[in-house]
Amino acid sequence: AHAVRARVFDADQRAVAEDVTIDYYINGKKVSTAHAKLARMNLRSYDLEAEGDVKVQSEQGVVLTTSRLSWDNQRQRASSTARVRVLRGGAVLTGRGFTADRDLHDLRILEDVQAEAVSVEQMRKEAATWPKP
């Protein structure tokens, strides 16, 4: 993690960072990068709450934007109840709430899902690459 400004509270085992960038890895390989205006981290569990222009971009080109998200380190899942926008290939998905893994491969929008694409053919092609529930 990198931040413009950060404060560590040893007694509470927590940190607060401003203008933060966090790189996520799987087996030593970077799989995504997250940016947020503010992040609060539990230094025991490494759970994280991020808010303010949150953007996560996978190395495969998937881009997720939302106003806030939570990272559950034990489950290795990001989630939120906020509005979300996902750009994946030629498709744009929007909705409310999501869960996702760290590389945004298994990403599920929970409510009010809408999809846009250049064409129906483009949407079918893109949808064929998404994991099945």
Side-chain angles (χ1 to χ4, degrees):
H2 307 277
V4 170
R5 185 173 315 136
R7 295 182 304 268
V8 175
F9 301 92
D10 288 328
D12 296 335
Q13 288 293 293
R14 65 184 177 93
V16 177
E18 297 174 23
D19 294 319
V20 64
T21 300
I22 300 171
D23 293 327
Y24 287 95
Y25 293 82
I26 295 177
N27 298 325
K29 180 181 174 189
K30 186 167 104 170
V31 294
S32 63
T33 301
H35 303 277
K37 287 188 176 181
L38 182 71
R40 294 177 191 85
M41 181 182 283
N42 179 317
L43 297 176
R44 288 185 193 114
S45 65
Y46 295 104
D47 290 347
L48 179 112
E49 299 289 329
E51 62 185 53
D53 298 330
V54 179
K55 178 179 178 182
V56 183
Q57 182 162 355
S58 78
E59 291 297 302
Q60 299 302 313
V62 178
V63 179
L64 177 147
T65 55
T66 187
S67 61
R68 66 182 179 280
L69 70 73
S70 299
W71 172 255
D72 182 324
N73 196 52
Q74 183 176 2
R75 291 181 49 235
Q76 295 289 294
R77 299 289 292 177
S79 64
S80 181
T81 57
R83 300 276 317 152
V84 62
R85 180 177 188 270
V86 177
L87 175 61
R88 192 176 205 155
V92 177
L93 304 171
T94 59
R96 181 171 302 283
F98 73 90
T99 66
D101 58 0
R102 68 176 55 212
D103 63 359
L104 302 182
H105 181 73
D106 180 13
L107 190 151
R108 300 167 191 209
I109 298 176
L110 304 176
E111 298 177 10
D112 302 325
V113 179
Q114 294 185 23
E116 297 177 30
V118 174
S119 68
V120 172
E121 183 60 32
Q122 177 65 33
M123 180 59 79
R124 285 183 182 139
K125 182 179 176 184
E126 186 61 34
T129 68
W130 302 342
K132 305 298 181 231

